[in-house]
Amino acid sequence: MDRYDDRLIVKTNLIESYEILMEFIAKHTSDKFYLVDNVRTSVRDLISREVVSNILVHRDFSSAFPAKVIIEKDWIRTENWCRPRRQGNILETEFTPYPKNPILARFFVAVGLADTIGSGVRNLYKYTPIYTPGGKPELIENDVFRINIPITETAVHEYAEENELTERETTILKMIKANNKLTVEEVMAVLDISRATVFRDYAKIRKKCGVSYDKKAGEWKL
């Protein structure tokens, strides 16, 4: 827990990178019996496929930031530099598929390493609760795109606690839903809090609920 027990640096083409990363995840995680149309299917491999494809297809290759797959006791996590189109948590029902590298995306679909655009998010939300009962994937889009997959019940409880809105955050979210052009000044006046506090709460609400703010239009996207 205090050091890298097994560290792998991958520097090769995308196809070999995919295979090496899939093997690395398989080496350090358990698999579970599951039937799809009466055929035994590896849910672990289905989840790994989406995680690894996301890192390779949606990366901003102009950045020197190293993409990472980190396997912890309770989580599989990834970090990947990207060009964000929005900020915050990506929810299953509240996202618009957008390939950051469309040529790579089409190539991965053509060779069978990915499905249609947008299927990765849907598959992670579909298979994570099967692999870890009660679990949900966390996909956070910022300059660094992060995926967190819970692999134990401890991680499920940790996720639930981290993503529970406080009373004030709940109030602000209700205000946003009532007025998608809600201003910082209006929140400050109603709740009697500082501008900095409003921005901190905004950041937490975006992360926990998947809402985003369009600066050009001056409105919230729910």
Side-chain angles (χ1 to χ4, degrees):
M1 298 299 290
D2 299 323
R3 60 182 175 83
Y4 288 106
D5 290 317
D6 191 355
R7 184 174 186 175
L8 178 68
I9 298 177
V10 181
K11 293 184 178 181
T12 183
N13 65 67
L14 294 178
I15 298 298
E16 291 179 355
S17 296
Y18 175 90
E19 295 171 351
I20 291 170
L21 290 169
M22 288 290 290
E23 291 173 0
F24 186 76
I25 294 176
K27 177 181 177 181
H28 292 288
T29 57
S30 61
D31 206 355
K32 298 183 179 181
F33 180 81
Y34 184 68
L35 293 177
V36 176
D37 297 328
N38 292 322
V39 177
R40 188 187 187 286
T41 304
S42 171
V43 181
R44 188 265 318 279
D45 287 352
L46 291 173
I47 292 172
S48 301
R49 176 176 183 257
E50 304 302 343
V51 168
V52 173
S53 294
N54 180 277
I55 281 185
L56 300 177
V57 172
H58 296 292
R59 175 168 177 73
D60 178 1
F61 286 94
S62 65
S63 170
F65 183 91
K68 305 182 189 74
V69 177
I70 304 167
I71 302 174
E72 300 176 351
K73 179 180 179 182
D74 301 312
W75 294 89
I76 297 175
R77 304 185 190 273
T78 72
E79 298 177 359
N80 195 24
W81 193 266
C82 76
R83 299 184 295 273
R85 299 184 67 246
R86 51 170 292 166
Q87 302 285 328
N89 200 2
I90 298 177
L91 302 183
E92 181 181 16
T93 58
E94 300 175 355
F95 85 104
T96 301
Y98 179 82
K100 297 180 175 66
N101 295 305
I103 295 176
L104 284 183
R106 290 194 296 270
F107 172 75
F108 264 63
V109 170
V111 298
L113 300 184
D115 295 329
T116 57
I117 300 301
S119 63
V121 172
R122 290 190 292 270
N123 286 339
L124 286 177
Y125 272 97
K126 177 181 179 180
Y127 292 115
T128 300
I130 296 172
Y131 187 78
T132 309
K136 292 183 179 180
E138 187 177 34
L139 300 95
I140 304 170
E141 184 167 13
N142 288 303
D143 288 337
V144 176
F145 190 95
R146 303 178 191 274
I147 298 177
N148 299 316
I149 306 294
I151 56 178
T152 65
E153 291 185 6
T154 300
V156 173
H157 296 316
E158 180 183 328
Y159 175 87
E161 292 175 358
E162 289 180 353
N163 287 274
E164 183 177 357
L165 292 174
T166 65
E167 182 177 346
R168 189 175 65 211
E169 290 165 0
T170 300
T171 300
I172 295 175
L173 181 59
K174 289 180 179 178
M175 293 171 67
I176 291 173
K177 290 181 177 179
N179 175 18
N180 70 337
K181 292 186 178 294
L182 183 71
T183 65
V184 173
E185 289 73 19
E186 288 172 328
V187 178
M188 292 169 60
V190 172
L191 300 180
D192 191 25
I193 56 179
S194 68
R195 180 179 295 272
T197 299
V198 174
F199 281 118
R200 281 197 299 270
D201 285 348
Y202 275 177
K204 293 175 182 177
I205 291 171
R206 286 197 298 267
K207 178 180 182 296
K208 296 176 182 179
C209 301
V211 299
S212 61
Y213 185 74
D214 187 333
K215 293 182 179 180
K216 291 183 179 179
E219 62 183 24
W220 288 91
K221 304 292 185 181
L222 301 174

